[in-house]
Amino acid sequence: MSEITVNDSIDSRDEELLPSATTVALVQLALACGGFGIGTGEFAIMGLLPNVAETFSVTTPQAGYVISAYALGVVIGAPVIAVLAAKMARRTLLLTLMLVFAAGNISSAVAPTFETFTFLRFISGLPHGAYFGVAALVAASMVPVHRRARAVGRVMLGLTVATLVGTPLTTFFGQSLDWQVAFFSVGVLGLLTVALIWFYVPKDRVSEEAGFLRELGAFRRPQVWLTLGIAAVGYGGMFAMFSYIASTTTEVAMLPASAVPAMLILFGVGMNAGNFIGSWLADKSLLGTIGGSLVYNIVVLTTFSLTAANPYMLGLCVFLVGCGFAAGPALQTRLMDVAADAQTLAAASNHSAFNIANAIGAWLGGLVIAWGYGFAATGYVGAALSFLGLFVFAASLRLERRDRSTQAV
C-alpha cells in the first residue's frame, strides 16, 4: 500500500502526483460505504420507535429520546474528536471512528435496558461528524482542486443513498423480524467499511505542525463561524418541513398513511439529485451555489406551504425540498477553504451545524403547529430560516471582500 503525505494547503497540490483514477474511485467507494452505514443508522430508528417503545415498556415519545441522544453525540463528538485526534493520521482516525460506530450499533442491538440503549445511541453518534469531515478531506486531497466538491459529493452520496435504500430496508426488516436486526446490520456495515478503508485508503503522514492548538485555531476565524452559521440557520428549513411530512401528507393533502413511504422516497430521490447537481455546481461556483441554494429554498418551501393540500404539488415540493441538499458539498468545501491549516475541526463541525439545523427546524416547526397554523405552515418556517441564512451569507461575503481589499492595500 502506498503512503501519501497529507497536504493541508489544498491550493498547492501537484496534480501530477495525485493517485490514479482507479485508486481514487476505490477510496471514494470505501468512504461512501461508511456514509451509507451512518445514514442508515441515523434514520432507521425513526421508523422503529414504536417497536423500541414496546420492547422497553416506554411510550413512543419517550423512545424518541434516543434520537436526541444520537444527535447530541454528533454535535459533541465532531469538534471534540477533531481536536483530540489532531496528531492522528487521517486513515487511522477513520478506522478508529468506524470501529467505534460499529461497536456502538452492535451493542445497541443487545442493550438490556432503555437507559443503556439511549447511552449507546449517544456513543454511536460521536463518530458521525468527525467521520464525514475527515472523509471529505481525504477525498478532496486526492483530486485536482477544481474537482474537490464532486469528490466530497461522492462521499456524501453514501448518506443520501441511505435515505433512499438503506433506511427503508432496515426499517422493513426491523419491523418484520426484530428491531435489533436493524442495528446489528448497521454495525456490520461499519465493520465492512473498516475493511474497505484498511485495504483501499492509502496511509498518510501527519504534518509536523499538526496539533491541538492548531485545530482550535479554526474557531478564531470569523469565516468558519459564518459558514457554520449558514448551515445551522439557513438549512433548518428542510428539517422544519421534513420532520412533519407524515402528518402533512395525511392531514393536509388527505392522503392515506400508505402514501407516506412514497413521500419519503421522493425526498430521498431529491437528496440524491441535489447532491449530484450541487457538487457539480460547487466546482463551478462555490459561493454562487451556496447563495443560490438559499434563494431556491425560500421559493420551494414557500410553494410547499401554498400548495400542500394538493397531493401532486405536495409530492413535487417534497422532491424539490430534498434537492436543497445541493448545498451540502458546497458548504463542506467552503469550510476547507476558510479553515486554512485547521481543516479537520472545521470540516467535522459542519455536521454538528447541520444537526443544530435539524433541532432548530423541528422545534420551530412544532411551535408553529402548536400555535394552530397547521402542518403546511412548516414551509413558511423553513423559508424564513433560509431568509435569515441569506443575511449570514451576506455577512460572509462582505467580510471576504473587506479582507481582499485589505490585502490588496
Side-chain angles (χ1 to χ4, degrees):
M1 182 180 296
S2 60
E3 184 174 277
I4 60 173
T5 300
V6 173
N7 185 359
D8 289 320
S9 180
I10 56 177
D11 293 324
S12 62
R13 72 177 62 128
D14 188 343
E15 294 188 11
E16 294 182 359
L17 300 178
L18 292 174
S20 67
T22 301
T23 299
V24 171
L26 290 172
V27 169
Q28 291 176 353
L29 173 64
L31 299 175
C33 181
F36 181 79
I38 290 176
T40 300
E42 180 181 18
F43 297 117
I45 183 62
M46 297 177 184
L48 298 173
L49 281 182
N51 308 76
V52 172
E54 182 180 356
T55 297
F56 293 117
S57 299
V58 297
T59 65
T60 299
Q62 286 174 325
Y65 294 157
V66 302
I67 298 177
S68 300
Y70 184 94
L72 182 62
V74 178
V75 173
I76 294 175
V80 171
I81 292 173
V83 171
L84 295 180
K87 296 290 290 184
M88 186 180 293
R90 287 176 180 169
R91 177 176 179 271
T92 303
L93 179 54
L94 288 171
L95 289 169
T96 304
L97 291 171
M98 287 314 299
L99 282 171
V100 173
F101 176 78
N105 279 279
I106 292 174
S107 299
S108 295
V110 296
T113 66
F114 179 69
E115 291 74 19
T116 304
F117 180 66
T118 303
F119 174 73
L120 288 170
R121 296 317 299 154
F122 170 78
I123 296 298
S124 300
L126 290 174
H128 180 128
Y131 176 83
F132 277 113
V134 176
L137 291 173
V138 170
S141 70
M142 301 181 73
V143 299
V145 173
H146 62 279
R147 294 180 182 173
R148 288 175 302 152
R150 275 170 282 186
V152 172
R154 292 187 190 103
V155 172
M156 297 181 75
L157 186 65
L159 176 64
T160 57
V161 170
T163 65
L164 190 61
V165 179
T167 299
L169 283 178
T170 52
T171 301
F172 171 77
F173 286 112
Q175 292 175 338
S176 303
L177 302 174
D178 201 337
W179 64 265
Q180 286 92 340
V181 171
F183 291 103
F184 182 80
S185 300
V186 170
V188 171
L189 283 172
L191 293 177
L192 174 61
T193 303
V194 170
L196 291 173
I197 292 173
W198 179 270
F199 284 112
Y200 296 128
V201 176
K203 294 180 180 179
D204 58 288
R205 294 193 300 271
V206 183
S207 169
E208 294 181 1
E209 292 78 18
F212 177 91
L213 293 177
R214 191 176 79 166
E215 288 300 327
L216 283 177
F219 288 150
R220 292 198 299 268
R221 297 181 174 89
Q223 285 289 13
V224 170
W225 285 107
L226 288 170
T227 305
L228 292 175
I230 294 170
V233 176
Y235 295 95
M238 177 190 301
F239 300 104
M241 182 281 293
F242 186 61
S243 297
Y244 304 98
I245 188 58
S247 297
T248 306
T249 301
T250 57
E251 298 187 30
V252 179
M254 305 305 292
L255 292 170
S258 58
V260 174
M263 293 297 170
L264 298 179
I265 290 173
L266 283 172
F267 187 80
V269 172
M271 284 186 70
N272 280 276
N275 181 60
F276 177 79
I277 297 171
S279 57
W280 182 83
L281 289 173
D283 277 331
K284 304 297 181 182
S285 175
L286 189 60
L287 293 175
T289 300
I290 296 172
S293 66
L294 288 167
V295 175
Y296 168 88
N297 284 344
I298 293 172
V299 174
V300 171
L301 286 164
T302 301
T303 304
F304 168 86
S305 287
L306 292 172
T307 63
N310 183 303
Y312 297 103
M313 286 301 299
L314 177 64
L316 175 62
C317 287
V318 167
F319 167 77
L320 293 175
V321 172
C323 289
F325 190 77
L331 286 167
Q332 190 77 69
T333 306
R334 170 67 171 170
L335 281 168
M336 295 179 192
D337 289 343
V338 299
D341 57 358
Q343 292 185 23
T344 303
L345 177 58
S349 296
N350 186 42
H351 295 271
S352 293
F354 270 106
N355 273 268
I356 292 172
N358 190 349
I360 292 174
W363 174 62
L364 290 177
L367 279 181
V368 169
I369 294 168
W371 289 340
Y373 291 99
F375 292 101
T378 55
Y380 291 133
V381 174
L385 286 172
S386 295
F387 186 71
L388 290 175
L390 273 178
F391 282 93
V392 183
F393 177 68
S396 177
L397 285 181
R398 183 177 180 182
L399 178 61
E400 184 162 301
R401 288 169 182 165
R402 188 186 70 183
D403 290 343
R404 286 178 179 174
S405 299
T406 302
Q407 291 173 3
V409 175

